[in-house]
Amino acid sequence: MALHRLTSITMGVPNVAETAAYYADFGLTPDGDGWFTTQDAGRQLRIVHAPTRRLVEVRIGVDTPDDLAAAASRLKRLGIESIVDALTLITYDRTTSVRAVLEVAPRLVQAPVAITAYNGPGRAQRTGARAPGVLRTSRVRPRKLGHAVLGTTDFDATTAFFRDGLGFKASDYIKDHGAFLRCSTDHHNILVLAAPVAFLHHSSWQVDDIDEVGRGAAAMLEGNPERHIWGLGRHHAGSNFFWYLKDPAGNFSEYYSDLDCIVDDQLWTPEVLEGARGLFNWGPPPPPSFLAPEDLAALMAGSHSESR
Ligand SMILES: [Fe+2]
């Protein structure tokens, strides 16, 4: 695959300091100039000022400069201009104004996490000891950025931009509404969602296992119960365990583990999901504010008054 990883996202928010403090709490490490690093993949989040919250930029790693040229010609066929230099391609999705940058970058190789020993019927993998998940005391720190979810007023055009232009592959669809797209072996790195306004729905961050999903969320909620949005549950598309929280700008942030991994494209058949399956497999029902964030009307008003 020419595209091989989601390297970073930039989010624009009106309240930079407050939002930055939240992501430090979330377990990302401040690295200067608005950047935050993850444990395994360096600078993966940048927070900058914007009049209303939005996804400003997505950066995607590719193997070689030839991959940039190939993407430029695919974009051209869609009537989309791009600027290519030695190591990057820069372009924009017209509908959402998101800047996409393809960059020649090394592939991410993560050190394998130790297998958590879970006991089951007839399978006592852990004897004479408490579960590792109840013994951990260190703060949860995400391993890497997993995906970003982008609301768009033109679902077909934004999906075509990422899939047919940049070269993402489709893993699954939500009927008429969502496209789970990957630029790596992760089930999805971008989810394009039909919405009444362009906005960043959430960013998602990989942790070691389900205990880390629970421990991370519990630590975020201690003293800040208003941060809770939805969890614990398991998605159907991508299969991952999830817990969603809300940052002070209104963006959701997700801890996830155990995401489906697509190594051989021939062995994966995309499905068109309908109803609840498009959202989750098990867990509490999602709150209405997950489906339609409370500030959508304000974002729509803001996007009309902003000069673009
Ligand atoms: Fe997600």
Side-chain angles (χ1 to χ4, degrees):
M1 185 187 266
L3 313 182
H4 60 76
R5 58 178 290 217
L6 182 60
T7 44
S8 69
I9 57 169
T10 296
M11 60 169 71
V13 299
N15 47 346
V16 172
E18 210 186 340
T19 306
Y22 170 96
Y23 284 96
D25 260 11
F26 190 75
L28 304 181
T29 305
D31 194 38
D33 208 18
W35 281 102
F36 289 81
T37 61
T38 56
Q39 280 203 71
D40 291 353
R43 288 180 159 189
Q44 295 214 277
L45 172 66
R46 193 177 191 199
I47 301 175
V48 299
H49 183 268
T52 54
R53 69 184 182 93
R54 59 179 295 250
L55 181 60
V56 173
E57 182 184 84
V58 176
R59 298 180 81 91
I60 298 125
V62 305
D63 286 321
T64 68
D66 286 350
D67 299 325
L68 305 175
S73 66
R74 283 194 303 266
L75 288 160
K76 186 116 194 156
R77 281 200 291 278
L78 296 179
I80 301 168
E81 294 301 319
S82 60
I83 300 166
V84 181
D85 66 18
L87 295 175
T88 62
L89 173 153
I90 301 174
T91 186
Y92 288 85
D93 174 43
R94 282 191 202 113
T95 312
T96 59
S97 305
V98 168
R99 181 169 61 233
V101 180
L102 302 189
E103 55 190 350
V104 176
R107 290 188 173 230
L108 177 64
V109 180
Q110 294 182 282
V113 63
I115 294 170
T116 308
Y118 288 106
N119 287 342
R123 184 175 53 85
Q125 292 185 325
R126 184 191 70 251
T127 57
R130 298 181 201 278
V134 306
L135 295 174
R136 294 174 191 159
T137 54
S138 60
R139 282 186 59 202
V140 171
R141 293 184 54 218
R143 292 286 189 157
K144 69 165 191 177
L145 168 66
H147 58 267
V149 177
L150 174 62
T152 174
T153 54
D154 190 336
F155 173 68
D156 290 338
T158 300
T159 301
F161 172 76
F162 282 99
R163 184 191 56 203
D164 309 329
L166 295 178
F168 281 61
K169 294 181 179 174
S171 297
D172 283 311
Y173 293 96
I174 303 171
K175 195 175 187 319
D176 302 327
H177 191 78
F180 292 89
L181 306 175
R182 67 183 186 276
C183 62
S184 72
T185 56
D186 294 340
H187 176 274
H188 54 285
N189 300 106
I190 292 284
L191 166 56
V192 177
L193 268 188
V197 63
F199 76 110
L200 173 61
H201 184 275
H202 70 266
S203 63
S204 187
W205 303 86
Q206 182 193 53
V207 295
D208 287 354
D209 55 29
I210 186 173
D211 280 302
E212 296 302 87
V213 172
R215 285 194 336 109
M220 287 297 280
L221 295 175
E222 212 177 300
N224 297 283
E226 74 288 351
R227 287 173 169 174
H228 175 73
I229 292 294
W230 186 31
L232 169 75
R234 194 163 180 126
H235 282 306
H236 189 79
S239 303
N240 53 300
F241 296 113
F242 65 81
W243 200 319
Y244 292 89
L245 304 156
K246 185 164 83 168
D247 78 21
N251 307 294
F252 303 145
S253 63
E254 175 188 14
Y255 289 115
Y256 81 90
S257 72
D258 197 26
L259 184 78
D260 292 336
C261 188
I262 303 174
V263 174
D264 184 341
D265 295 341
Q266 307 303 317
L267 297 180
W268 184 266
T269 308
E271 280 182 48
V272 179
L273 305 167
E274 294 188 58
R277 279 284 162 87
L279 262 176
F280 71 128
N281 190 293
W282 60 256
S289 66
F290 182 81
L291 305 173
E294 284 153 4
D295 62 350
L296 274 193
L299 289 178
M300 288 168 76
S303 73
H304 292 139
S305 63
E306 263 176 56
S307 57
R308 302 178 58 142

